[in-house]
Amino acid sequence: MALIPVLTPDDSAAWDRAAEGAGIAPATLMETAGRACAAVIAQRYPELLRQGTLVACGPGNNGGDGWVLARALHRLELPVWVAPVEADGAPLQRAVASRARAEGVRTVAPDGPWPNVALAVDALLGTGARGGPRPPVAALLDRLLDLRVPLVAVDGPTGIDLRTGVIHHHTRAHLTITFGGLRRGHLLAREDVGDVVVVDIGHPPPDPGWPTLVTDGLAAQRLPRFRADVHKGDRGRVVIVGGDTGMTGALRMAGRAAFGAGAGLVHAVAPAETVVALVEAEPDLQTLVQSFDEAPRAALAELLDRADALLVGPGLGRKPGRRELVLELLARARFAVLDADALVALAGAVDRLAELARGRVVVLTPHPGEFRTLFPAHAAAMETDPWLAAAGAAADSGCTVLLKGVPTVIATPAGTSLTVAAGNPGLATGGSGDVLGGIIATLLAQGLEPELAAAVGAQALGRAADIGARRVTARGL
């Protein structure tokens, strides 16, 4: 299965150089890119193409892609015009522009009269652009955005920094077509890039050190399979500790999610009042009474010895003493997921967490607020470089870190990085994290490596949310 990397502009440039070193000429990549864009647009907007397309081309290689696109449409006898930026172009851009003109592609002045068109293409600035566009690119972009037609961006909408997702100029796109892999800015500025289509234009295999996008296919491929003769002991024994008074729902949702992910046995550990409610509401959950204000009892220690995975945090509460409880539980577990209140309890104790993580597998699943509390030194990078933030947290803690957000990033102490783009604002509601914790704990119990358990769980939850939003809207998910 082909992997889709998530690239910085520097990675993208290095990939182009690697292609050239492998004997793939830059002109070949540009020709393939432009033709691929034409194919995607023809598939998405067949009726609009017949009514005319305006392609705004910048002076760099992104503009060269636009010229190739325009020539491909012209060869199909579709009405197309190019509005070129009036500036000295890069050598390759000048060559493809000259060829397009020679074949009869029509041009219009950026500030002159334009024909009526039904579709516009932004091929002004590419992956390497930094900061806001300068004149005359900015003026042409503004005029392009004034057209009341769908806008297709080549590589990315001009005005968005594809490294950080920072928007330096008002921009928009209904569709973005990019090459080989996603750029980080596509995921960080998801509202402004529209649908993103990644096309293969012939690059060599990506660097294995680059972050990888988790797709449905990748997640399904890594999901543990059940043999015909499987029994409940094979499917994993998951222990969930949480559900303090008034927060029974968090524990219930985590338990139901563990069963939904395929766990064979799920044990809920909670104070007596919560256990009474669980016995009536969730009869398939096994229960154990444990006061969170006391040290773990012998029965809990025995249960943890038999467990395949431990989840601590859903509804655990934030009363004094929770830190020591979490650390004692973690010391008894071989595989553990820490979420919600368990993460807050460890604020200021990352060194103790790292010490315990040396002898076991630990997955942390913070949302941004919990991440700031637990890893304040890395919090500043979250918005523009969650990959860097998650990697720093994983290195400090010795744990696999799943940093929730748009996108969700998974990092390991060894430097592996996975990215999940599935999901929508419907997940921004109480209980989503509890469900995710139950899924990940189950996948750990079934033998999946920690970064894959985290990634597959996040992809499953995100895809379920996308399906649910189509049925009931994200607002009512």
Side-chain angles (χ1 to χ4, degrees):
M1 177 180 296
L3 300 179
I4 299 175
V6 181
L7 308 168
T8 66
D10 292 341
D11 296 334
S12 183
W15 210 8
D16 286 344
R17 291 193 298 270
E20 189 171 8
I24 305 168
T28 300
L29 289 178
M30 183 175 288
E31 187 73 23
T32 307
R35 288 176 174 269
C37 288
V40 172
I41 292 172
Q43 185 181 39
R44 289 290 186 103
Y45 302 108
E47 296 300 325
L48 298 183
L49 281 179
R50 296 187 181 94
Q51 301 172 51
T53 302
L54 180 74
V55 185
C57 291
N61 287 344
N62 191 254
D65 296 337
W67 278 104
V68 174
L69 161 63
R71 177 163 52 81
L73 297 180
H74 178 72
R75 285 188 171 187
L76 295 173
E77 299 184 352
L78 294 166
V80 60
W81 294 264
V82 171
V85 170
E86 297 171 352
D88 290 336
L92 186 52
Q93 187 267 4
R94 292 200 305 268
V96 296
S98 177
R99 183 178 177 188
R101 286 190 172 100
E103 292 192 18
V105 174
R106 293 169 288 183
T107 62
V108 294
D111 57 354
W114 284 359
N116 288 326
V117 295
L119 189 67
V121 176
D122 169 7
L124 290 169
L125 298 177
T127 297
R130 302 294 296 271
R134 295 183 292 273
V137 172
L140 180 51
L141 175 61
D142 286 337
R143 191 169 182 199
L144 197 67
L145 292 170
D146 283 340
L147 297 176
R148 301 294 182 182
V149 299
L151 181 61
V152 178
V154 176
D155 230 9
T158 299
I160 294 179
D161 188 325
L162 292 180
R163 179 190 304 272
T164 63
V166 172
I167 298 173
H168 295 285
H169 189 284
H170 168 66
T171 189
R172 64 175 170 81
H174 297 84
L175 171 68
T176 292
I177 306 170
T178 193
F179 312 115
L182 290 168
R183 278 53 179 171
R184 294 186 177 189
H186 293 144
L187 301 174
L188 295 167
R190 198 162 80 174
E191 289 282 349
D192 301 281
V193 299
D195 293 339
V196 180
V197 174
V198 179
V199 294
D200 181 2
I201 60 173
H203 284 98
D207 187 322
W210 291 337
T212 300
L213 181 71
V214 180
T215 62
D216 288 350
L218 177 62
Q221 188 182 58
R222 303 303 176 89
L223 196 65
R225 299 292 193 269
F226 292 151
R227 290 173 49 87
D229 59 352
V230 70
H231 59 79
K232 61 186 178 184
D234 296 329
R235 289 174 55 172
R237 184 190 299 267
V238 177
V239 174
I240 306 174
V241 180
D244 200 2
T245 303
M247 292 180 283
T248 306
L251 181 58
R252 286 185 63 185
M253 283 189 283
R256 295 250 46 88
F259 275 129
L265 294 163
V266 181
H267 301 258
V269 178
E273 181 180 345
T274 298
V275 167
V276 169
L278 284 177
V279 168
E280 296 182 3
E282 305 288 351
D284 45 353
L285 283 176
Q286 299 187 55
T287 58
L288 178 68
V289 173
Q290 169 68 53
S291 170
F292 294 158
D293 297 322
E294 301 173 358
R297 295 166 43 224
L300 177 53
E302 293 174 6
L303 178 60
L304 292 176
D305 288 341
R306 302 196 311 272
D308 295 305
L310 166 70
L311 168 61
V312 186
L316 185 68
R318 301 184 180 183
K319 295 178 182 177
R322 292 298 188 264
R323 174 186 293 180
E324 294 306 320
L325 174 63
V326 171
L327 292 172
E328 286 185 58
L329 293 171
L330 185 57
R332 303 288 310 211
R334 293 171 296 162
F335 299 89
V337 180
L338 303 184
D339 183 42
D341 293 336
L343 298 172
V344 176
L346 294 177
V350 172
D351 54 342
R352 297 178 65 185
L353 172 62
E355 185 177 338
L356 284 172
R358 291 192 188 103
R360 52 192 47 82
V361 170
V362 183
V363 178
L364 312 179
T365 60
H367 61 53
E370 293 158 352
F371 188 90
R372 290 188 189 93
T373 299
L374 192 55
F375 301 107
H378 302 291
M382 271 195 304
E383 290 190 11
T384 58
D385 196 346
W387 294 270
L388 179 64
D396 287 356
S397 65
C399 304
T400 295
V401 175
L402 181 149
L403 174 53
K404 300 170 184 172
V406 182
T408 289
V409 175
I410 299 100
T412 71
T416 305
S417 181
L418 297 167
T419 305
V420 174
N424 61 71
L427 287 174
T429 186
S432 294
D434 306 315
V435 171
L436 179 61
I439 298 171
I440 295 173
T442 298
L443 296 176
L444 275 181
Q446 293 172 351
L448 220 56
E449 295 176 357
E451 67 272 21
L452 290 174
V456 171
Q459 182 71 15
L461 180 68
R463 183 60 64 230
D466 290 340
I467 293 170
R470 284 194 290 270
R471 293 176 178 172
V472 299
T473 75
R475 186 181 301 276
L477 185 61

